[in-house]
Amino acid sequence: MKSNILYLLIALVLVSCSGSNGPSVKLRRAEQLEKFRSQLQTERQTLKATDSLMMALIPQINTAKSKGFEYEKTQYDDLGRFRPEGMDPSQNLNKSYVRCAVDEYGRTQLIATYCGPKNFVVHQVRINASDGTEITTKTIEPNDGTNYSYDIGGTHYQAVTFTYAGKVTEGMSNDSIVLANADTDNGALGFIAQHVDDKNLKANYISIDGKELMVNIGPKTRARIAATYELGILLRENTRLQQENKTAGLKIQYLEQMILRKEIEEAEGN
């Protein structure tokens, strides 16, 4: 008799447990399904918004490009870049001057070009404004890859590239588009753009042994740098939107697959 009662109690417990687990599983599945659908709606809104913003940026970028830029891309480049007209190195041989460029992702380049005695090796640049403010790039050692030089006789030729990438490379898995020494510019290009009307703006080349050489930044150069800085802002914003757009697209694919799987499970009652 006692054993029969014991078996009956065990059976009641099992029925009770199975009854409580059923609705619980269905409830969790329904909650998860609703969560996926909500996330899907958010990502679709992001995709739509980034599409719209990129479309609005196109005329702004085209206007900025129309301010005297030449597009160049060699067989050695992963990306093309926009260089202000009049800053072709082949047209400015045997002189020390600053020039600039911006690649398709909006990463700007401030290039210190030097021609002079070979005992002067540039690895840093300080920009001085007439109001007493200044900004200094980070240092780039010789033969770094972005510090290119060669000697002919007693003359030293050098081009040191200081870059600004901001957050453009975040989320990019392709190593070929991640620029080495990103942000070595330290804000110098933007500083020049902000002082575009400063007639006494100077670039001081700093050599590895602490010597300095003052290089004038003339009105045409200041204007070209300001235009490059403006174009860089727009291209970086476009790159950021492209990254968000691509991420939203991938999330949408994942969420649609998860929703379909959950709906099939729900229909089958699993």
Side-chain angles (χ1 to χ4, degrees):
M1 182 67 177
K2 288 182 179 180
S3 61
N4 289 338
I5 294 174
L6 179 61
Y7 290 143
L8 180 61
L9 289 173
I10 292 173
L12 289 172
V13 169
L14 291 174
V15 170
S16 176
C17 290
S18 63
S20 61
N21 281 343
S24 176
V25 170
K26 289 182 179 180
L27 180 61
R28 288 197 300 270
R29 184 185 296 128
E31 289 175 347
Q32 197 169 39
L33 190 56
E34 183 59 30
K35 181 179 178 181
F36 285 149
R37 285 170 176 164
S38 176
Q39 290 175 341
L40 179 62
Q41 181 64 21
T42 299
E43 296 304 328
R44 282 174 173 168
Q45 291 174 351
T46 298
L47 193 69
K48 183 178 180 180
T50 51
D51 278 336
S52 177
L53 289 170
M54 283 190 291
M55 286 297 295
L57 266 180
I58 290 175
Q60 298 180 55
I61 291 173
N62 289 337
T63 298
K65 286 179 182 177
S66 69
K67 295 180 180 179
F69 283 94
E70 298 174 334
Y71 179 78
E72 62 178 7
K73 184 178 182 180
T74 70
Q75 60 181 330
Y76 306 106
D77 297 323
D78 292 323
L79 290 174
R81 64 177 186 171
F82 302 95
R83 182 187 64 209
E85 294 175 354
M87 285 194 166
D88 185 343
S90 64
Q91 299 174 0
N92 296 278
L93 297 174
N94 303 320
K95 62 183 293 188
S96 297
Y97 68 105
V98 292
R99 54 189 172 93
C100 59
V102 57
D103 72 16
E104 294 177 81
Y105 284 103
R107 295 175 298 196
T108 54
Q109 301 173 343
L110 176 64
I111 307 167
T113 304
Y114 171 77
C115 174
K118 65 179 183 179
N119 62 347
F120 191 95
V121 180
V122 184
H123 79 150
Q124 192 173 26
V125 174
R126 185 181 69 252
I127 310 297
N128 289 90
S130 58
D131 60 7
T133 57
E134 63 180 45
I135 192 166
T136 306
T137 67
K138 295 180 180 178
T139 60
I140 300 181
E141 299 305 319
N143 303 316
D144 179 80
T146 52
N147 190 338
Y148 173 75
S149 64
Y150 61 93
D151 296 321
I152 298 180
T155 303
H156 179 70
Y157 296 89
Q158 190 174 1
V160 190
T161 301
F162 302 93
T163 67
Y164 177 75
K167 296 185 178 180
V168 164
T169 56
E170 284 190 359
M172 291 183 174
S173 58
N174 186 350
D175 290 339
S176 66
I177 60 176
V178 178
L179 191 65
N181 295 314
D183 299 342
T184 49
D185 147 287
N186 217 25
L189 193 82
F191 183 85
I192 296 172
Q194 292 166 9
H195 293 81
V196 66
D197 297 321
D198 187 347
K199 297 179 181 180
N200 296 313
L201 197 67
K202 308 293 182 184
N204 288 280
Y205 290 2
I206 304 172
S207 71
I208 55 176
D209 56 1
K211 296 177 183 177
E212 294 192 16
L213 172 70
M214 187 179 70
V215 177
N216 184 55
I217 306 177
K220 289 183 179 180
T221 299
R222 296 196 302 271
R224 289 163 178 162
I225 286 176
T228 302
Y229 180 72
E230 177 188 354
L231 179 57
I233 291 173
L234 294 172
L235 290 174
R236 285 196 300 275
E237 177 63 9
N238 188 56
T239 299
R240 184 188 68 80
L241 290 171
Q242 287 178 339
Q243 290 173 330
E244 285 191 14
N245 188 273
K246 181 179 179 180
T247 299
L250 293 173
K251 287 182 178 179
I252 287 171
Q253 291 179 19
Y254 169 76
L255 290 167
E256 286 177 340
Q257 291 174 359
M258 293 304 296
I259 289 171
L260 180 60
R261 182 184 302 175
K262 293 298 178 183
E263 287 176 341
I264 291 174
E265 290 177 355
E266 190 173 44
E268 293 177 346
N270 295 331

